Amino acid sequence: MPDSFNFQELLDGYATPWAINIAMALAIFFIGRKIARILLHLVDKMLNKAGMDAMLVGFVHSILNALLLLLIIIAALDQLGVNTTSFIALIGAAGLAVGLALQGSLQNFASGVLLIIFHPFRVGHFIEAGGVSGVVEEIGIFSTRMKTGDNREIIVPNGAIYGGNITNNSARTTRRIDMVFGIGYDADIKKAKEIMQSILEADERVLKDPAPLIAVAELADSSVNFVVRPWVNSSDYWAVKFDVTEKVKLAFDDAGISIPFPQMDVHINKSE
């Protein structure tokens, strides 16, 4: 009888409560995981519906999944009687230490998230940002990869990009080319203007609306300077600029219109 009584006491006092707690902890874990999957599915659906970038959706999914899993584990351990207060404090201290150690990386991460959300530029755009310029090939969470005009690859931290000015040369479908041509004071201004006007009119890449601007902008020290500002499709910007510059020089040469250049007169005094 004593042995039977002791076994029953052990069963009622320890085994049964522990079995119940373990069963409850397992139930909390599995039910919690199921609820977490439902919540994650709803969040993914909402983000996709809002037009968020797939990379950002995947990253948010991973972060939420990790946080929900941590909460579920803490709740299950609490059901088992584990003191989770110190455990939570330890996680908080570790998170603070990691945050301080990775301060620069966290700044790049935050900037990457903002770049993906607000889309100041996209893959394929030619931009000037972070002190460099190039075509965007990849927008990552921590850095952006660009290709320069001479086919070099540049990886720029997102913090450097989002923390400064961003010039997106591909954001608009059209661009204005700003060029300056100088002629001598003895040259025929009207003739020079007609030559530049005819060159722009003959180029089909130059847009009619807005109309190109050709005007005398400055009476400089040794030249009369014209501003020439045609509008073109963004993809034609450099080709038109180079072509017009060359054609204007050749046309001026044929018409006998001089383009002044810096000169220096040297006077030598010969002593007798």
Side-chain angles (χ1 to χ4, degrees):
M1 287 294 294
D3 292 340
S4 177
F5 175 78
N6 291 337
F7 176 77
Q8 188 66 38
E9 183 180 358
L10 180 64
L11 183 65
D12 294 340
Y14 296 97
T16 301
W18 263 104
I20 294 174
N21 286 339
I22 292 173
M24 290 293 295
L26 291 174
I28 290 173
F29 181 81
F30 289 110
I31 295 175
R33 288 294 293 162
K34 188 171 183 180
I35 295 174
R37 290 191 189 97
I38 295 174
L39 291 175
L40 289 171
H41 177 72
L42 291 175
V43 170
D44 289 347
K45 189 174 181 180
M46 289 171 53
L47 293 177
N48 287 323
K49 189 175 181 180
M52 292 293 182
D53 190 272
M55 181 184 296
L56 181 60
V57 173
F59 187 79
V60 171
H61 179 98
S62 300
I63 293 295
L64 286 179
N65 184 49
L67 291 175
L68 290 173
L69 179 60
L70 181 62
L71 291 175
I72 293 169
I73 291 175
I74 291 175
L77 291 176
D78 185 67
Q79 179 62 38
L80 291 174
V82 178
N83 185 4
T84 57
T85 303
S86 58
F87 183 65
I88 294 173
L90 181 62
I91 293 176
L96 179 62
V98 171
L100 292 175
L102 301 177
Q103 186 174 2
S105 297
L106 291 177
Q107 180 186 3
N108 291 329
F109 161 73
S111 299
V113 171
L114 293 175
L115 289 175
I116 293 173
I117 291 176
F118 294 110
H119 289 299
F121 54 83
R122 299 177 184 274
V123 173
H125 284 184
F126 179 77
I127 68 168
E128 300 172 27
V132 298
S133 60
V135 177
V136 178
E137 290 192 324
E138 180 183 3
I139 305 172
I141 291 296
F142 293 98
S143 63
T144 296
R145 180 163 54 88
M146 294 190 292
K147 183 179 71 174
T148 63
D150 55 354
N151 205 32
R152 290 179 297 159
E153 183 177 290
I154 301 180
I155 299 176
V156 187
N158 287 333
I161 294 177
Y162 203 79
N165 294 331
I166 301 174
T167 302
N168 190 341
N169 297 302
S170 304
R172 310 295 183 186
T173 57
T174 60
R175 287 184 65 185
R176 189 185 72 189
I177 304 175
D178 293 347
M179 294 177 286
V180 178
F181 298 106
I183 64 173
Y185 272 93
D186 57 346
D188 188 334
I189 292 179
K190 292 183 178 179
K191 186 176 182 181
K193 189 172 183 179
E194 289 174 358
I195 289 174
M196 290 183 284
Q197 185 71 43
S198 64
I199 290 174
L200 296 182
E201 290 177 351
D203 197 323
E204 295 180 353
R205 296 168 297 181
V206 175
L207 302 178
K208 307 302 180 184
D209 186 22
L213 171 67
I214 302 175
V216 176
E218 181 185 13
L219 300 177
D221 293 337
S222 59
S223 64
V224 178
N225 293 334
F226 285 88
V227 289
V228 180
R229 295 175 176 174
W231 285 84
V232 298
N233 292 322
S234 297
S235 58
D236 294 329
Y237 180 88
W238 290 108
V240 173
K241 183 174 184 178
F242 295 151
D243 287 348
V244 169
T245 301
E246 180 180 352
K247 289 176 180 178
V248 167
K249 175 63 171 67
L250 294 175
F252 279 2
D253 289 345
D254 292 341
I257 298 175
S258 63
I259 298 178
F261 55 89
Q263 301 182 55
M264 179 181 295
D265 294 333
V266 179
H267 300 274
I268 301 176
N269 294 324
K270 295 182 179 180
S271 58
E272 296 182 358

